């Protein structure tokens, strides 16, 4: 049977599966960390906006938002929920907006869908090109340890949805078969360590990179399954080619 693209058929049941996700807590955490470094964003760009859930807490706090996502089906749901928000169908590495933001935000390991470090670096470079000088990127990522633990060979099934997980430590790729009824789509995620994420951000031109765990804000350690990374755009961007 032919697999559908990621986040196409799953879109139909996505919000039901995400009922317990701490979108509000994540937004509060990120805004508190940014306030701690003296940055109060007025607008944001979300990478991997999905059905729009992670943007809602920011909109409630009065921030203006734009969202990018590659999935037409996820965006269709986001459009019905967030008619006031500009939503663009594009890849993390390829969108081009004629404006910059105070914050580029990416939640729920959306960036782990980039399965090569070079793809993640390209997404970081594109994010930097959409930040105002001194603006911040905040993103959460799964570590290899997290995928090994959370995506280990396991099957979860409920109300016609069947999720079949697997993880290959050699490639650091987690594989998820998501069945909705008789239809299936396959997701791949690569685990990234805080250290390599920091290096990719620095080589993409970001400064002041640091990683924290949610919700207590400690530094991630070698068994941390997930972490948030924060990185600042330079106050004085380098001219192209410098
Ligand atoms: C786990 S969902 C997260 C959605 C939303 N942020 C949330 O927290 O509910 C990941 C989203 O990233 C999008 N995505 C994955 N890879 C992408 C890429 N390379 N470019 C753009 N969007 C991508 C998917 O379509 C999906 O909607």
């Amino acid at each position: 049977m032919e697999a559908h693209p990621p986040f196409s058929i799953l879109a139909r049941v996505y919000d039901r599966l995400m009922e317990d996700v701490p979108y509000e807590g994540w937004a509060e955490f990120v805004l508190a960390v940014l306030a701690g470094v003296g940055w109060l964003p007025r607008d944001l760009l979300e990478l991997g906006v999905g059905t729009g859930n992670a943007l809602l807490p920011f909109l409630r706090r009065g921030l203006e938002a734009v969202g990018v996502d590659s999935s037409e089906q996820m965006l269709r749901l986001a459009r019905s929920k967030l008619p006031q928000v500009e939503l663009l169908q594009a890849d993390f590495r390829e969108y081009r907006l004629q404006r910059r933001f105070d914050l580029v935000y990416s939640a729920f390991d959306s960036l782990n869908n980039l399965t090569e470090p070079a793809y993640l670096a390209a997404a970081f470079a594109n994010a930097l090109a959409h930040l105002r000088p001194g603006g911040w990127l905040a993103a959460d990522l799964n570590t290899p340890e997290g995928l090994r633990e959370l995506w280990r060979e396991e099957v979860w099934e409920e109300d016609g949805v069947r999720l079949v997980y697997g993880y290959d430590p050699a490639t650091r790729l987690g594989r998820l078969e998501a069945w909705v009824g008789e239809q299936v789509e396959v997701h791949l995620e690569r685990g990234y360590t805080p250290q390599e994420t920091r290096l990719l951000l620095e080589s993409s031109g970001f400064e002041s990179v640091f990683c924290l765990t949610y919700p207590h804000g400690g530094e991630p350690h070698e068994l941390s399954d997930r972490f948030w990374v924060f990185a600042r755009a330079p106050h004085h961007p380098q001219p192209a080619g410098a």
Side-chain angles (χ1 to χ4, degrees):
M1 177 185 300
E2 202 182 318
H4 293 263
F7 299 97
S8 56
I9 57 163
L10 195 69
R12 289 181 219 150
V13 293
Y14 187 81
D15 283 359
R16 171 154 63 88
L17 298 179
M18 299 304 133
E19 266 166 14
D20 296 328
V21 174
Y23 293 114
E24 181 66 36
W26 285 342
E28 211 169 288
F29 174 74
V30 164
L31 290 173
V33 170
L34 294 180
V37 295
W39 193 249
L40 302 176
R42 289 152 302 159
D43 58 5
L44 77 156
L45 169 65
E46 187 186 356
L47 304 183
V49 65
T51 64
N53 295 337
L55 268 191
L56 286 166
F58 292 97
L59 298 173
R60 281 196 287 272
R61 287 167 172 77
L63 279 83
E64 194 208 329
V66 173
V68 167
D69 202 287
S70 53
S71 162
E72 185 188 325
Q73 291 82 357
M74 296 289 270
L75 285 174
R76 196 176 303 142
L77 290 160
R79 285 198 179 99
S80 66
K81 258 187 243 173
L82 312 172
Q84 75 280 31
V85 173
E86 181 184 343
L87 297 166
L88 183 74
Q89 186 179 2
D91 189 274
F92 297 145
R93 296 157 287 179
E94 290 168 2
Y95 62 89
R96 299 284 180 267
L97 295 163
Q98 300 309 311
R99 61 175 285 193
R100 289 173 182 258
F101 299 84
D102 286 345
L103 169 64
V104 172
Y105 181 72
S106 190
F108 214 173
D109 48 82
S110 298
L111 294 179
N112 288 95
N113 288 273
L114 297 166
T115 53
E116 298 277 348
Y119 302 164
L120 184 57
F124 285 153
N126 202 17
L128 182 60
H130 289 82
L131 277 169
R132 296 196 177 97
W136 283 82
L137 173 134
D140 75 341
L141 287 118
N142 278 325
T143 64
E145 185 59 28
L147 286 180
R148 193 181 66 76
E149 185 57 28
L150 302 168
W151 290 42
R152 64 171 176 252
E153 304 287 324
E154 216 165 64
V155 179
W156 179 94
E157 200 159 5
E158 202 177 277
D159 293 337
V161 180
R162 183 177 155 84
L163 304 178
V164 184
Y165 290 94
Y167 179 66
D168 176 2
T171 58
R172 286 200 204 168
L173 289 181
R175 184 176 188 278
L176 166 65
E177 258 178 40
W179 291 85
V180 182
E182 296 302 309
Q183 295 180 300
V184 66
E185 61 182 50
V186 176
H187 298 198
L188 291 178
E189 281 203 9
R190 183 184 190 278
Y192 289 95
T193 65
Q195 178 62 9
E196 70 181 328
T197 306
R198 174 198 303 269
L199 292 175
L200 289 172
L201 280 159
E202 287 170 351
S203 64
S204 306
F206 279 93
E207 296 176 345
S208 304
V209 183
F210 60 93
C211 297
L212 297 174
T213 52
Y214 173 84
H216 301 299
E219 268 193 47
H221 52 78
E222 59 185 32
L223 293 180
S224 296
D225 51 5
R226 305 166 62 78
F227 64 96
W228 280 88
V229 65
F230 294 83
R232 195 185 65 207
H235 287 292
H236 304 290
Q238 296 287 310

